[in-house]
């Protein structure tokens, strides 16, 4: 019997394959199509000749752990113990999987806010726990009263994602005040904060759980070098958690991967001294603005994108099709691939919204927009 009977191929793979089959411009799956920083590729080339090819310590390459700790101190003013509070992982996906497997028990409950990224629920189900899918509001913000009403003595984890994929919305400081108050009433609950787009925010500054002294004591915070350094294929990221939680997470990590790719870890430890992660927001803001300007005269209505490299658009005035059918049609008839939002909702709610990834070079964005403006 299947342990995950409702899990199929992810929408990202489905849409990317469809884009390839139809030779469409792929703005569906989130990945950059421009070159990686030469400083990073030079480091990789250089170190490949050094002895960097064997197992590294289970929790991560010590100099990389130190650099991550320094970066967290610089960006968020939080002092994190490199030896006991950071774990280097094979991307955010593995971090999330290991954290859920380690911390959630059979028959407990995990609250997931919809639309939700697709890698949260399967590890919950594999532990024999129950996922409680709570919709965000129509503008993709949490309604804390509704979330609190869903909390029970069995609730073990609440997962938040900020900046939010697929919507591109970000949480406000006020949300964290409410969240803090709510979690004070449920001391058994761990907060899993997926912040893979932490450095990709625009007008509004990112509010990380790292900034909140109370919340961070009970939180696992997830980061991804894939997003921050345009290297999604490297599959490398890290999580930060208080020592008591990390001890448990490491037990799972030890037998899931043991340790993460050595070359990537050594390269990134060197690269972190040569790059300013805080510049990433303005880099992507230019892309967001270019794409929005190019679509200005289209029939799509663009929703606010406050963070991440995604732009959500409504096609409600263009078509009555379901968002999934609209996306299939968009690839086949117009040569552009996007992601339908309804697939991220447990209840399948279709708001006639689709997601475009603007982590692309200007040429690609221009060509895609030209096609989209003809619709
Ligand atoms: N969380 C979110 C919200 C994501 O968008 C992604 C990937 N795009 C991940 C986690 C997984 O990141 P990684 O590729 O580092 O595993
Ligand atoms: N996170 C990426 C996105 O949202 C996709 C990653 C994947 O394909 N698993 O598009």
């Amino acid at each position: 019997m299947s342990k995950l009977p409702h899990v199929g191929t992810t929408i990202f793979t489905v849409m990317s394959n469809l884009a390839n089959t139809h030779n469409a411009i792929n703005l569906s799956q989130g990945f950059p199509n421009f070159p990686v920083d030469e400083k990073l590729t030079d480091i990789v080339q250089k170190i490949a000749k050094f002895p960097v090819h064997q197992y590294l310590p289970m929790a991560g390459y010590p100099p990389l752990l130190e650099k991550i700790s320094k970066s967290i101190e610089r960006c968020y003013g939080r002092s994190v113990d490199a030896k006991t509070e950071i774990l280097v992982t094979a991307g955010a996906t593995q971090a999330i999987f290991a954290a859920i497997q380690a911390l959630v028990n059979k028959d407990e409950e995990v609250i997931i806010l919809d639309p939700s990224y697709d890698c949260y629920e399967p590890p919950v189900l594999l532990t024999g726990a129950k996922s409680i899918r709570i919709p965000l509001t129509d503008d993709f913000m949490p309604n804390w009263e509704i979330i609190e009403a869903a909390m029970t003595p069995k609730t073990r984890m609440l997962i938040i994602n900020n900046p939010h994929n697929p919507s591109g919305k970000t949480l406000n400081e006020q949300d964290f005040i409410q969240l803090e108050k709510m979690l004070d009433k449920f001391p058994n609950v761990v907060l899993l904060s997926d912040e893979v787009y932490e450095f990709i925010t625009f007008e509004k500054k990112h509010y990380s759980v790292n900034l909140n002294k109370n919340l961070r004591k009970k939180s696992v915070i997830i980061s991804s070098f894939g997003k921050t350094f345009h290297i999604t294929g490297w599959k490398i990221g890290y999580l930060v958690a208080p020592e008591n939680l990390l001890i448990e997470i490491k037990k799972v990590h030890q037998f899931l991967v043991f340790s993460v790719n050595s070359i990537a870890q050594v390269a990134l430890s060197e690269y972190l001294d040569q790059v300013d992660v805080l510049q990433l927001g303005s880099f992507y803001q230019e892309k967001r603005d270019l794409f929005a300007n190019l679509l200005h005269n289209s029939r799509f209505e663009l929703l606010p994108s406050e963070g991440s490299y995604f732009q959500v658009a409504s096609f409600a005035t263009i078509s009555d099709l379901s968002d999934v059918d609209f996306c299939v049609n968009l690839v086949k008839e117009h040569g552009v691939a996007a992601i339908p939002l309804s697939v991220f909702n447990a209840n399948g709610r279709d708001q006639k919204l689709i997601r475009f990834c603007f982590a692309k070079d200007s040429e690609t964005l221009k060509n895609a927009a030209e096609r989209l403006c003809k619709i």
Side-chain angles (χ1 to χ4, degrees):
M1 203 174 96
S2 170
K3 293 185 83 173
L4 295 170
H6 303 296
V7 171
T9 307
T10 80
I11 188 70
F12 309 114
T13 304
V14 170
M15 291 312 302
S16 276
N17 286 348
L18 200 63
N20 291 339
T21 307
H22 293 274
N23 212 7
I25 300 173
N26 190 0
L27 304 189
S28 64
Q29 191 177 26
F31 64 89
N33 79 335
F34 40 83
V36 171
D37 186 352
E38 230 173 84
K39 280 189 206 149
L40 180 57
T41 50
D42 285 349
I43 293 171
V44 174
Q45 218 171 1
K46 182 189 77 185
I47 65 169
K49 292 200 167 57
F50 297 151
V52 295
H53 303 281
Q54 309 309 328
Y55 294 130
L56 288 175
M58 191 262 282
Y61 180 51
L64 177 60
L65 294 171
E66 288 295 338
K67 302 279 169 68
I68 293 170
S69 163
K70 254 197 215 159
S71 169
I72 294 169
E73 173 88 57
R74 172 171 173 254
C75 298
Y76 303 122
R78 175 183 182 185
S79 145
V80 178
D81 187 330
K83 290 194 184 69
T84 60
E85 295 179 313
I86 304 172
L87 179 69
V88 176
T89 60
T93 311
Q94 188 242 313
I96 292 164
F97 191 95
I100 292 172
Q101 288 300 315
L103 303 176
V104 178
N105 291 288
K106 186 168 176 287
D107 296 331
E108 288 182 332
E109 293 173 357
V110 175
I111 295 187
I112 296 176
L113 308 178
D114 277 359
S116 56
Y117 185 62
D118 65 353
C119 83
Y120 304 147
E121 187 170 65
V124 172
L125 301 179
L126 287 174
T127 65
K130 197 167 159 197
S131 67
I132 309 291
R133 308 270 296 256
I134 305 291
L136 293 166
T137 62
D138 278 356
D139 60 351
F140 304 107
M141 296 303 279
N143 178 326
W144 296 110
E145 281 83 48
I146 294 178
I147 296 167
E148 183 163 344
M151 306 271 283
T152 74
K154 287 188 175 173
T155 309
R156 173 59 173 154
M157 184 178 274
L158 165 65
I159 303 181
I160 59 172
N161 172 210
N162 178 41
H164 183 246
N165 180 9
S167 74
K169 290 294 292 259
T170 58
L171 297 177
N172 300 312
E173 206 165 335
Q174 187 57 35
D175 287 302
F176 288 94
I177 294 171
Q178 285 179 264
L179 173 57
E180 202 179 332
K181 266 198 215 142
M182 181 183 84
L183 290 186
D184 277 346
K185 298 180 204 163
F186 298 90
N188 186 41
V189 173
V190 173
L191 179 67
L192 189 144
S193 184
D194 178 347
E195 302 188 17
V196 297
Y197 302 103
E198 64 194 308
F199 301 118
I200 313 179
T201 56
F202 311 127
E203 286 78 8
K204 208 162 67 180
K205 215 169 163 277
H206 174 58
Y207 189 92
S208 171
V209 169
N210 280 301
L211 295 166
N212 188 304
K213 289 198 173 77
N214 184 14
L215 284 176
R216 71 196 188 195
K217 281 191 259 172
K218 46 184 142 188
S219 297
V220 180
I221 305 170
I222 310 283
S223 293
S224 172
F225 286 123
K227 315 291 167 191
T228 303
F229 297 140
H230 320 302
I231 48 171
T232 62
W234 285 32
K235 293 303 303 184
I236 181 162
Y238 57 92
L239 65 77
V240 174
E243 186 176 2
N244 63 321
L245 298 182
L246 196 57
I247 285 172
E248 294 305 312
I249 298 171
K250 281 178 183 170
K251 290 181 192 173
V252 173
H253 178 81
Q254 176 163 251
F255 296 111
L256 196 54
V257 286
F258 178 66
S259 68
V260 171
N261 183 300
S262 59
I263 304 182
Q265 291 201 60
V266 176
L268 287 169
S269 72
E270 200 170 311
Y271 183 57
L272 273 170
D273 286 333
Q274 302 181 24
V275 63
D276 181 5
V277 290
L278 298 176
Q279 300 302 316
L280 193 64
S282 53
F283 172 80
Y284 273 119
Q285 187 165 340
E286 257 180 49
K287 295 198 177 291
R288 179 201 65 174
D289 292 345
L290 170 67
F291 189 54
N293 286 335
L294 290 165
L295 288 182
H296 186 69
N297 291 324
S298 78
R299 291 163 71 207
F300 289 96
E301 187 207 332
L302 304 188
L303 273 54
S305 170
E306 301 170 337
S308 80
Y309 42 52
F310 302 119
Q311 173 67 62
V312 172
S314 166
F315 64 87
T317 61
I318 302 177
S319 166
D320 289 332
L321 287 175
S322 73
D323 61 354
V324 173
D325 288 346
F326 184 81
C327 282
V328 171
N329 197 52
L330 194 61
V331 174
K332 292 186 177 167
E333 304 292 328
H334 304 283
V336 179
I339 296 285
L341 259 66
S342 66
V343 301
F344 302 108
N345 291 325
N347 60 11
R349 182 165 182 235
D350 177 359
Q351 294 168 274
K352 310 286 174 215
L353 297 174
I354 60 175
R355 188 198 82 177
F356 295 112
C357 170
F358 56 77
K360 305 293 168 191
D361 56 38
S362 305
E363 176 90 0
T364 305
L365 294 176
K366 279 180 199 151
N367 290 339
E370 204 172 288
R371 295 178 185 191
L372 294 169
C373 283
K374 286 189 188 138
I375 298 171

